[in-house]
Amino acid sequence: MREALAQPVPGAIRLHRAASAFEARLLALPPREWEGARGAYFADMLAAHNPQRDGVWRHRFLAQQEAGDLVARGVREGTLPLWTMAEHGPHLIDHWHLQEIDSQAIKTGVFKPRDTTHPLHGVLLWVKTIEAEPWADAVIAGLYPDLRAAGSPDAAPTPRRKPGPQANPGWAWAVDTATKEFAAAGMRRPLQRGEQAAIITRLLSLMSEGGHGDFSEDAGRKYALEVIARLPVN
């Protein structure tokens, strides 16, 4: 079993690498007025005793802390799905089993809860790139809602990516429809057990019923992240 768990998940990178990539994106963005609220007081206290710790240092210090906090929150809420390799192949971990995710797991990519008998104790944690990128995009859009505004002097350049296949236009309709349906039904973040699976199922059903084709569960999971990001918060 342990040998199987040590195998890589196809199309995925280890959690600590995904967290580092997300941190790098935050560092490349301009400081925010309320950046890193949890550690701002501590950062200012440290800077007061060392004049070399300027605004650049403060942004780096807070972005590093904030990146870890946001990744942990995404894992606990299920908006950043984590995978591991089981004997039967890649296995999506129920986020309710990852509520003890901590900074050490994010730094190492290994889950080690306090309970050493936990069935997932010691497993390697993986993030699929097809899920990590839209999650990071949604989080950054929430942190910097005005960053892309026309004429904004703070707008950061968007990294160039190789053009991929054109997304089926039906997904925008399916995401919008599913979001309205689930929000009207009272679904809120953080999600309850089974709600993410319900979103995926509904998205795939909408795409099929709307004549847009049949898609894999991986595709549904990718667009489910957009639905989740739009849901109200409790």
Side-chain angles (χ1 to χ4, degrees), residues 103-126:
S103 59
Q104 193 62 23
I106 293 170
K107 290 177 182 176
T108 63
V110 181
F111 187 50
K112 290 190 175 181
R114 289 186 295 273
D115 180 6
T116 56
T117 64
H118 192 294
L120 294 176
H121 190 280
V123 302
L124 305 185
L125 302 173
W126 299 82

Side-chain angles (χ1 to χ4, degrees), residues 8-196:
V9 173
I13 59 175
R14 291 279 298 281
L15 174 61
H16 62 288
R17 293 188 179 277
S20 294
F22 178 62
E23 179 185 310
R25 288 188 63 178
L26 289 186
L27 286 170
L29 292 166
R32 306 188 321 279
E33 182 178 359
W34 299 105
E35 181 176 44
R38 187 172 71 86
Y41 175 79
F42 183 58
D44 292 339
M45 184 176 64
L46 291 175
H49 297 285
N50 189 336
Q52 293 183 339
R53 289 173 172 166
D54 55 9
V56 174
W57 173 87
R58 186 181 190 278
H59 177 51
R60 183 171 63 251
F61 178 88
L62 294 177
Q64 289 171 344
Q65 182 184 73
E66 190 170 38
D69 290 346
L70 290 168
V71 168
R73 182 191 303 172
V75 171
R76 294 188 188 107
E77 292 184 349
T79 55
L80 181 60
L82 295 189
W83 296 74
T84 193
M85 184 63 88
E87 291 180 335
H88 63 274
H91 172 70
L92 174 63
I93 305 173
D94 188 328
H95 70 279
W96 288 104
H97 295 153
L98 296 167
Q99 295 303 300
E100 290 187 52
I101 194 84
D102 57 12
S103 59
Q104 193 62 23
I106 293 170
K107 290 177 182 176
T108 63
V110 181
F111 187 50
K112 290 190 175 181
R114 289 186 295 273
D115 180 6
T116 56
T117 64
H118 192 294
L120 294 176
H121 190 280
V123 302
L124 305 185
L125 302 173
W126 299 82
V127 184
K128 290 194 174 184
T129 53
I130 196 175
E131 296 170 343
E133 290 183 3
W135 171 82
D137 290 343
V139 172
I140 289 174
L143 295 175
Y144 293 87
D146 302 322
L147 187 63
R148 302 297 176 187
S152 171
D154 293 329
T158 302
R160 290 187 176 182
R161 296 177 182 172
K162 292 182 179 179
Q166 193 72 19
N168 188 305
W171 282 115
W173 166 78
V175 167
D176 186 57
T177 302
T179 301
K180 291 176 180 176
E181 290 178 352
F182 286 114
M187 187 179 288
R188 299 290 185 269
R189 290 184 289 150
L191 299 186
Q192 300 299 310
R193 185 185 295 272
E195 288 183 336
Q196 183 171 0

